[in-house]
Every structure is written in C-alpha cells, then in structure tokens.
Amino acid sequence: MSNIPANRAAFNAARFFRLPQNRAARFLLWLVFFCLLLKSADWLWPLAVPDPQRQTEGAQNDFAQLVVDRHERPLRAFADSNGVWRYPVELSEVSPFYKDALLNYEDRWFYYHPGINPFALLRAAWQNWRCGCVVSGGSTISMQVARRFHPHSRSVGGKLEQALRALQLEWHYSKEEIFTLYLNYAPMGGVIEGVGAASRLYLDKPALDLSLAESALMAVLPQAPSRLRPDRYPQRALNARNKVLQRMLEFGVITATDYQQALLEPVLAYQPHTPQLAPLLARELRRQNADKSLIKTTLDADLQYEIEDYLAQEIQRFPPSHSAAILVLDNASHEVRAYAGSADFADDSRFGHVDMVQAQRSPGSTLKPFIYGLAIEDGLIHSASLLRDVPRYFTDYQPENFTRHFSGPVSATEALRQSLNLPVVQVLEAVTPEHFAAALANAGARYRIPGDGKANLSMALGGGGLSLAQLVQLYSSIANQGQVWPLRYLTEESPSAAGSRWLFSAETAWVLNDMLRSPRPDRARSYALQDNDRSIAWKTGTSYGFRDAWAVGVTPAYTIGVWFGRPDGTPSPGHYGALSALPVLFQLFDRIEHKPELLPQPEQVSQETICWPLGKSAAETPADQCFQTHKAWLVRRQLPPTLRDERSDGLWRNPLTYWTSERGLLVDGSCDVPARIAHQLALWPRPLEHWLPASQRLRNRLPAVDPRCSEPPALALEPLQITGIQDGLILRSSRTRAGGSAALPEISLHAQGGLGQRDWYVNGLHVGSSGEAETLSYRFSVTGEQEVVVMDAQGELDRRTLQVE
C-alpha cells in the first residue's frame, strides 16, 4: 500500500490517462484518435468558418516594407497597415541556432505531430490542475500560429477552437510553411512581430546572423514579449534566455562548451527605432515596388550615414531655405552607393522632403565637357585647338564670361578648365545644337529646353533642365570608355538588362578625362604637388542668377555629383559651383577614395606638337608660320586645323597669300608694277588681333604699301582703335545724385579705323552700337576695374582697361 498515492483521486486520474503498455494497442489508439480529429476538423469546421488558407493570405502579404542596403542592413522601414513592424523572412534566412532553440524549447515534436500534441496537452493540464495555476500551455507551434490568425478566449472552449484551427492549418499547409508563419508573426513586444523585425530592431542584425545566445533570447521572447523585452528588462530576458540554453544542453543540442560561452554573452539590446537612411530614395522605391516586403538597394549604409551626417552639418553654413544633394556612383557596377536627396529630410525649412537628385534644374556649365567631347569625336578639334575668348558678333546670342573679362586666344583644354563661355559657344556652333541635343537624348539624358523646345546655343551654358542623376550618369561615361549605363538602385537589376549607349569613343573619353584633370584649387600651388594631384577629373557649374551650384567629379572607380541651392528656385547670390559645391566634392573623394588611380591610355590616343595659329603639326609647319607650340592629344591621329568662323574670318584662308613688288612692298591687282611676288602668311583669327603681341599682329607683319598703287590694298586699311581712353585710366565723378550720393562717371565711346558699324562691350556685356563717325555715351554701373571692347563689321577688335572710382 505504500506505493499507492495518498490522494486517491490523483491515483485514479493517473490510471485513467495511462496509455496501454502494448505498442500495437497504443499505435491503434493514436491512429483512431487523430483520424477522428482530422476528419471532424475538415468536415465540420469549414461549415462555420472559411478555409484558413484564404484567411491568412491577406495577412501574409501585409508586412512592413523594409528597404535595405547592399549588405541587407536597414535603411528605412515602413510599418504595415496596422502600424505593426514585421519584416518577412524565410527559413533559409534564419540562423540554425534559432531554429534549434525554438524547436527544443517550444515544440520538440513539431515535425511529427499533426498540429496538436496530446501528450503535451495532457501534461500541461495535469501540471496546471495539480498546481492550481498556469504552469505550461502545451500549445504547439501550429497552435500558436492558429491563435495568431484566430484569437480565442482563454477557456476550455477557446483551447478546443485553437486545437481545431491547428489541425486545419496542418491539413492545408506544409510544416515549412507553418514554421515560416511563426517566424514572421510571433509577438516580440509592442508592435514588433516576427524574428526578422525583432533581430533588426533589438539587435541591429539580420536573423541569419543571430548567435546562439541571441537565438535563445529570440526563441523565448514570445512567451512573455512585454515582460521580457531585452531593451527594458535585460535581467529578466537574461534569466529566460539562460533557461532556453539549459534546455538545449539537457537535450544534447549544444555542448557544454557552447553552453558556457553563450552564458558569458550579455543581453544588450537597442531601443527599437526605425532607420531613416536615404529616406527620399526609399520612399520612391517603395512606391515603385509596392508589392515587395523587402527592397534590396545597391546603397552602402555606412557611406550613406556618413554623407547624410556630413551634409546636415555642412548645410548649416548656408542661409535658411537652402538645401543640397549628393549622388555617389560605382562606375564598374553602375550601382548607386549613396543617395542624399536633400540636406536634412527632417528640416521642413530647407524643403527636406524635396528630392533634388531627381529635380530638373539648369546644369550651368556642367555640360561643357560633352560639347568638347563630341567635337573631338567628330574631328572638329583636339585638346589643344586654338579657340577664341572674345566678344561675339553676327549673332543674337551674346553670352558673357563668369568673370566678365576676355582671354583672347585659348586652347580647348584651357577653355574647359577655366569654364570660359565664349569658346564653348564657338565649339557648339561647329557641332550644332541639334546634334548635341540628339547625342544627349540617345545617351538617355534628354535635355529639357524651355519655350519651343528647340535646340539652341544657350544649351552650352545651362539653358535647359537636367537632374543631378542624369549628370552623374553622363559623367560616368568618361570612366566607362564613352558608354552611358542606366543607374542601378536595386541589387536585383541586371546591368546588362537595359544595356549601355554610346556617347563617344573610349579614346575621346580618355582625352576628355585628361582635359578635366586640372589641379585641385584646395591644395598647395607648387607645380610638383599639382602634377601629383590630378587624379580627379572634375567640373563645376553655376546656373543663371546663382540658382544652382554644381560640382561633378570622376575617377576610374567613382562618379560623384554635388548640388547646392534653393529647391524653390530662388537665387542665392554669392553661391556658385567652385565656392559652394566643389569643396564638398573633394571632401567626399578624400573620404571615399584616398588615392584614385588613373585611366589607362588607349592605343589610338597619341600626343603631337602642334602650331598656332594654323593648328597643324609642328613638324609640317614652316618656322615663320609657327608662333606658338602646344602639346595636343589626338584621337586616331586626327589633326583638324584651327576652327574657323566664316562670319568673322571672312573669305581669307589660312595661310594668307599676299603679293609684293620687286621692291618688296605690298601690292595688289590695282598697282602698276612690272612683277608681283607671292608670299604666304599664317593668320591668327581676326578677332584675336588685340590679344596678340605687337609683332604677331597682321599689319605689323606686312610690308609698306608700294607708292605706285592708286589705292591702298585692302590689307593695309587703318586698324580699328579706341580713341580718348588709355589703358590704366582712372575715372572719378564729382557729380551727385538728388539724394546726395555720388554718381558714377559717364564716358564717350569712339573708335577710328576699321570698317562698318561698331559694337561696344563693357565687362563682356554688350552696351550699344555706333556708326563709323558716331560716338556712344555710357554711364558705368559699378566701380572697380572695367574692360571696354569694340568690334567692327569685320570682326576686328580693340580694347582698353580702366578704373572707375
């Protein structure tokens, strides 16, 4: 009698629930029991409640959308329609430690039972009845999933409903599918559900990277998610985690060594917060991929954070309402590595919600390299071609330089590096605006031209609209052998899917890269350092009215674009590309790529010494026709002559042929001389005469006129000269305005010699015209150094510089 329990009721209950000892009888009992349950669940329950598969389909698609970087680190997250944070994961995306911890702690027989475990239920009922409290629940993973989609009361009837729902799930889903549902919907505290969201928000890592200790913590958290939250109650979470580890050790899932090492790992969790990196790009990608729960971008989270933090500090130097944008592109993969659409997304005063990477803005001078590139590709110029930085005539479009001064003769490389406006317009005239616009459109960057939309010369200086994304895309062609590739924002996008488009050849791209590799203005001025500091090909730009400040740089590895300005288009006087955007560009390259490499020189690129003014090879030019030599990069050995302008150069051809008499004096057909001797003279473009040394000017190189000529030859006409103004003149005015302030002085503009109408320019701005014998009055509008230039109908010029005080 000593073996009989004192509590007779407990003894009888134990006898009642004891299974037969015979294995065959037990198997038969199991089989009959489960068949009845399955049939009853499948036949009867659907009559009252629809198929659980149909009920869970909508919920399975209702995930929080997570935008991640190329390493699957979170950039930005968007809660589901109920405000719940749930990141989708598959079984293959979860750490094996977590699977072992969950199965051994929650449901060891998950892969063997049909949805409910009678032994676990009976054991839980017995333990709870003996204790008079809730010791365990006996719920399987399937039952917990069923309760998630079909909540029920904590009663016997509710438990029966949960069991039947679990049987339904097992009937319609595989074990892997049910396990996946649990991984995604298990409560993890507050509005966090699923191990994917919990591991990201609490531990800042994907579920696949969970350690043994972290896996144990995530496995036990659904038991009491509010009470065991590791960010609020680390000690409770530690005790619960260790309980799971102890269970795994007892079951032989882990070794004693693994157990001891896991116990040493502290419970450290972040306060759950949703990331806000690349918010504007994430917003757009979410809109484009509304059906995706996980959006994998090409961005680098570390670089993105660094750039956003740097930009948020840098923008403080600018007045309110100013913003900025930065785009970093990997040239080899065509993947965007960083995307800052605004200076501070949370700052409404700076229009942080406006994406300035995609906004259409005037590109200023940033398109100049591609005009030169197309001209090189078409054989119109080379890197050292002689161009003209002088006032323009015979045209309605008369731009001025940023400095409002003229440089006279310049090479193509010098004109590009100094961002001179007049030479690039000269080159665009030769290329034609229509060809330039078509080339950009074919490369995937359509230039939006206001008004009638027709291509025109103003395109050279930003007379249209492009985005920062389009500019970066175009500039990357310089590092990609002239090919323009679509920007890649998602890792799943194949670089070969859309294909590339040719803008120009690899040889032209290399020459253009060399032309843009000017010394950095933020470094020391010594020539030794300059030669070693030309690893970045860069260009700045400023739109009309100081509305946009640009800087774009290229190395073989990266292309980076920077924009500063006001999103509302209001001018920002005093802010321009070289001042506002360029220092940021160099800072970014210094952080991203410390020692950029150089592009390898193509075989079809060669260097040749050429002569100005003819532009021919020095080896083929007579010494008396070669006034300046320059080193030029040639593409496929193309050596075009100096670019002509028929309207200003007239009908003369280079070299010019003239005649002298037997006395060596200048003659023409009207001169009565017994013999004429032909000579050739290399001509500088006529508008450049005044910028040349006196010895190289045309009239100083011609002999005197033979007195036997009844009329002087056309070449001997009196040169155009400004009268009444000497270089270095200082002008002051004693007159005062009505309010008592000093009035700036007025001057009379007159010139003699030359031919036809005179056009007058002050600081590069056309101020009026006069006849051969007329005088033009002009009152200065600003103080300081002034440049006065006059041009006649033949394109000849004269200039003076003076000071206004």
Side-chain angles (χ1 to χ4, degrees):
M1 296 294 295
S2 60
N3 294 330
I4 299 176
N7 190 325
R8 177 62 62 180
F11 175 74
N12 291 333
R15 290 185 61 190
F16 177 80
F17 288 111
R18 185 179 301 154
L19 290 175
Q21 297 299 315
N22 184 275
R23 290 186 177 181
R26 282 193 297 171
F27 176 80
L28 182 60
L29 182 61
W30 264 97
L31 184 61
V32 172
F33 177 75
F34 287 125
C35 286
L36 290 174
L37 285 177
L38 288 174
K39 287 300 180 182
S40 62
D42 191 56
W43 291 341
L44 302 177
W45 198 256
L47 296 177
V49 181
D51 181 357
Q53 185 172 4
R54 292 195 296 270
Q55 293 193 28
T56 57
E57 279 177 353
Q60 291 182 57
N61 294 326
D62 193 14
F63 283 100
Q65 283 187 292
L66 180 64
V67 182
V68 298
D69 79 339
R70 59 197 301 254
H71 302 296
E72 297 197 9
R73 292 173 294 186
L75 295 173
R76 193 179 181 191
F78 302 89
D80 71 1
S81 58
N82 296 317
V84 175
W85 296 104
R86 186 188 311 109
Y87 304 158
V89 293
E90 299 292 337
L91 280 173
S92 59
E93 300 172 334
V94 176
S95 169
F97 290 132
Y98 176 77
K99 298 175 187 176
D100 291 339
L102 180 64
L103 290 174
N104 284 277
Y105 186 74
E106 286 285 356
D107 192 353
R108 292 184 65 198
W109 308 106
F110 172 72
Y111 284 102
Y112 305 100
H113 62 64
I116 60 174
N117 187 340
F119 299 110
L121 289 173
L122 294 174
R123 182 187 66 250
W126 171 248
Q127 291 175 343
N128 297 343
W129 179 75
R130 290 192 62 183
C131 174
C133 60
V134 178
V135 176
S136 63
S139 296
T140 63
I141 288 178
S142 302
M143 293 174 67
Q144 294 182 51
V145 172
R147 182 175 58 200
R148 166 62 181 80
F149 293 113
H150 305 283
H152 59 80
S153 61
R154 300 182 65 86
S155 62
V156 175
K159 202 68 174 178
L160 178 60
E161 178 185 346
Q162 181 186 12
L164 292 174
R165 288 294 189 184
L167 294 173
Q168 273 190 299
L169 284 174
E170 293 278 350
W171 188 265
H172 292 281
Y173 291 100
S174 67
K175 287 291 186 180
E176 287 72 19
E177 290 173 326
I178 295 173
F179 202 164
T180 301
L181 286 172
Y182 182 88
L183 296 180
N184 286 284
Y185 288 89
M188 293 291 187
V191 292
I192 302 174
E193 290 187 1
V195 66
S199 58
R200 294 280 190 185
L201 297 175
Y202 289 130
L203 305 176
D204 193 27
K205 61 172 58 178
L208 187 62
D209 296 339
L210 292 174
S211 66
L212 173 60
E214 292 167 340
S215 296
L217 174 62
M218 293 293 104
V220 75
L221 188 55
Q223 292 289 320
S226 297
R227 193 174 67 86
L228 299 179
R229 278 185 57 162
D231 61 314
R232 295 180 179 177
Y233 311 108
Q235 188 58 47
R236 295 180 189 173
L238 178 68
N239 295 336
R241 180 204 71 179
N242 293 345
K243 181 179 178 182
V244 177
L245 292 172
Q246 178 67 35
R247 181 79 61 86
M248 296 177 72
L249 176 64
E250 293 173 355
F251 291 153
V253 179
I254 59 176
T255 65
T257 301
D258 295 336
Y259 173 72
Q260 293 298 331
Q261 290 178 346
L263 291 179
L264 295 176
E265 189 173 320
V267 171
L268 299 175
Y270 295 97
Q271 185 74 26
H273 69 282
T274 56
Q276 285 287 345
L277 291 175
L280 293 171
L281 176 63
R283 181 181 67 186
E284 178 60 20
L285 292 178
R286 183 198 184 199
R287 185 189 67 81
Q288 296 176 4
N289 301 272
D291 59 333
K292 293 182 180 178
S293 298
L294 186 65
I295 302 173
K296 299 179 181 180
T297 73
T298 61
L299 271 60
D300 184 292
D302 293 334
L303 179 61
Q304 181 71 28
Y305 175 80
E306 187 175 1
I307 285 179
E308 288 189 13
D309 183 64
Y310 168 69
L311 196 55
Q313 298 178 37
E314 187 70 16
I315 199 63
Q316 300 306 316
R317 300 190 299 106
F318 292 79
S321 301
H322 283 70
S323 187
I326 293 174
L327 191 67
V328 179
L329 178 69
D330 185 312
N331 291 327
S333 64
H334 326 297
E335 295 177 344
V336 174
R337 291 284 179 256
Y339 186 112
S342 64
D344 188 348
F345 180 69
D347 190 347
D348 291 336
S349 68
R350 296 190 180 275
F351 304 95
H353 61 285
V354 180
D355 189 350
M356 297 309 299
V357 169
Q358 303 296 338
Q360 295 287 316
R361 308 288 290 199
S362 167
S365 298
T366 56
L367 288 181
K368 288 177 179 177
F370 306 103
I371 297 174
Y372 288 104
L374 290 174
I376 293 172
E377 184 72 14
D378 293 343
L380 299 174
I381 64 171
H382 49 66
S383 65
S385 286
L386 171 61
L387 301 177
R388 314 166 191 193
D389 184 29
V390 297
R392 288 173 49 78
Y393 190 67
F394 301 114
T395 177
D396 293 333
Y397 185 59
Q398 299 177 348
E400 58 186 71
N401 284 327
F402 186 78
T403 60
R404 295 194 172 184
H405 291 282
F406 304 106
S407 302
V410 293
S411 70
T413 297
E414 183 182 3
L416 178 56
R417 290 181 178 177
Q418 295 183 20
S419 197
L420 300 177
N421 291 341
L422 282 305
V424 76
V425 173
Q426 178 193 359
V427 175
L428 182 57
E429 276 187 314
V431 172
T432 74
E434 293 76 14
H435 176 39
F436 178 54
L440 294 183
N442 182 65
R446 187 173 297 278
Y447 199 175
R448 296 189 179 180
I449 304 171
D452 58 8
K454 293 182 179 180
N456 56 70
L457 293 177
S458 70
M459 298 171 63
L461 308 181
L466 279 179
S467 67
L468 179 60
Q470 290 173 309
L471 276 179
V472 169
Q473 184 179 0
L474 287 172
Y475 271 83
S476 67
S477 67
I478 298 174
N480 284 324
Q481 300 183 328
Q483 297 181 77
V484 180
W485 291 84
L487 303 184
R488 294 180 59 203
Y489 296 102
L490 301 176
T491 56
E492 63 190 31
E493 294 173 341
S494 172
S496 60
S500 65
R501 300 182 180 184
W502 288 99
L503 187 54
F504 31 64
S505 66
E507 291 79 14
T508 296
W510 188 91
V511 172
L512 194 57
N513 177 76
D514 184 80
M515 294 171 66
L516 288 170
R517 288 192 300 109
S518 55
R520 289 175 51 166
D522 61 335
R523 296 289 174 86
R525 292 292 181 178
S526 73
Y527 289 108
L529 286 178
Q530 287 182 3
D531 288 340
N532 294 326
D533 194 26
R534 295 180 60 242
S535 55
I536 302 172
W538 57 272
K539 184 72 184 73
T540 61
T542 306
S543 65
Y544 179 76
F546 299 95
R547 288 172 169 80
D548 307 274
W550 305 87
V552 188
V554 182
T555 66
Y558 295 99
T559 299
I560 302 177
V562 179
W563 173 89
F564 276 85
R566 289 186 52 150
D568 61 1
T570 303
S572 302
H575 292 282
Y576 50 92
L579 176 68
S580 303
L582 187 60
V584 174
L585 178 73
F586 289 143
Q587 285 283 342
L588 293 175
F589 271 114
D590 290 343
R591 294 183 181 208
I592 297 172
E593 193 177 15
H594 184 58
K595 292 183 178 180
E597 298 179 353
L598 296 180
L599 289 171
Q601 181 178 334
E603 293 183 2
Q604 293 297 314
V605 172
S606 58
Q607 196 170 48
E608 184 88 22
T609 301
I610 60 100
C611 283
W612 282 4
L614 298 181
K616 298 179 180 179
S617 169
E620 301 174 357
T621 304
D624 62 347
Q625 297 182 15
C626 186
F627 295 104
Q628 292 185 26
T629 60
H630 296 266
K631 294 288 187 181
W633 291 111
L634 305 183
V635 172
R636 297 180 290 276
R637 303 208 54 86
Q638 296 180 103
L639 185 54
T642 296
L643 197 61
R644 288 181 53 81
D645 186 338
E646 300 293 343
R647 291 168 293 188
S648 62
D649 293 338
L651 299 178
W652 291 348
R653 291 293 180 266
N654 240 345
L656 170 69
T657 299
Y658 69 95
W659 289 266
T660 61
S661 64
E662 75 282 2
R663 301 175 185 176
L665 299 178
L666 183 65
V667 297
D668 62 7
S670 67
C671 301
D672 186 14
V673 295
R676 294 176 178 83
I677 304 171
H679 304 271
Q680 284 194 327
L681 190 68
L683 291 179
W684 289 87
R686 298 184 67 182
L688 297 177
E689 281 279 304
H690 188 76
W691 281 267
L692 301 175
S695 61
Q696 296 182 22
R697 298 180 185 178
L698 175 60
R699 288 177 179 82
N700 294 336
R701 296 162 58 197
L702 293 172
V705 177
D706 194 303
R708 289 173 287 183
C709 297
S710 58
E711 295 181 3
L715 289 175
L717 288 175
E718 187 70 20
L720 179 68
Q721 288 185 332
I722 297 175
T723 60
I725 304 176
Q726 298 78 37
D727 280 330
L729 176 69
I730 299 177
L731 292 179
R732 300 184 181 91
S733 177
S734 59
R735 294 178 54 193
T736 57
R737 298 188 181 96
S741 61
L744 293 180
E746 186 177 12
I747 193 171
S748 295
L749 302 176
H750 180 264
Q752 65 182 20
L755 181 67
Q757 176 179 289
R758 286 87 162 90
D759 280 272
W760 295 90
Y761 299 83
V762 176
N763 294 332
L765 184 65
H766 185 263
V767 297
S769 302
S770 63
E772 291 187 14
E774 295 177 346
T775 298
L776 178 70
S777 295
Y778 174 74
R779 183 177 298 280
F780 292 96
S781 58
V782 294
T783 59
E785 185 178 88
Q786 313 288 323
E787 182 182 50
V788 178
V789 176
V790 64
M791 175 186 288
D792 71 2
Q794 297 182 102
E796 288 204 52
L797 298 104
D798 191 26
R799 68 169 182 168
R800 299 288 187 272
T801 58
L802 52 90
Q803 193 77 18
V804 174
E805 297 180 356

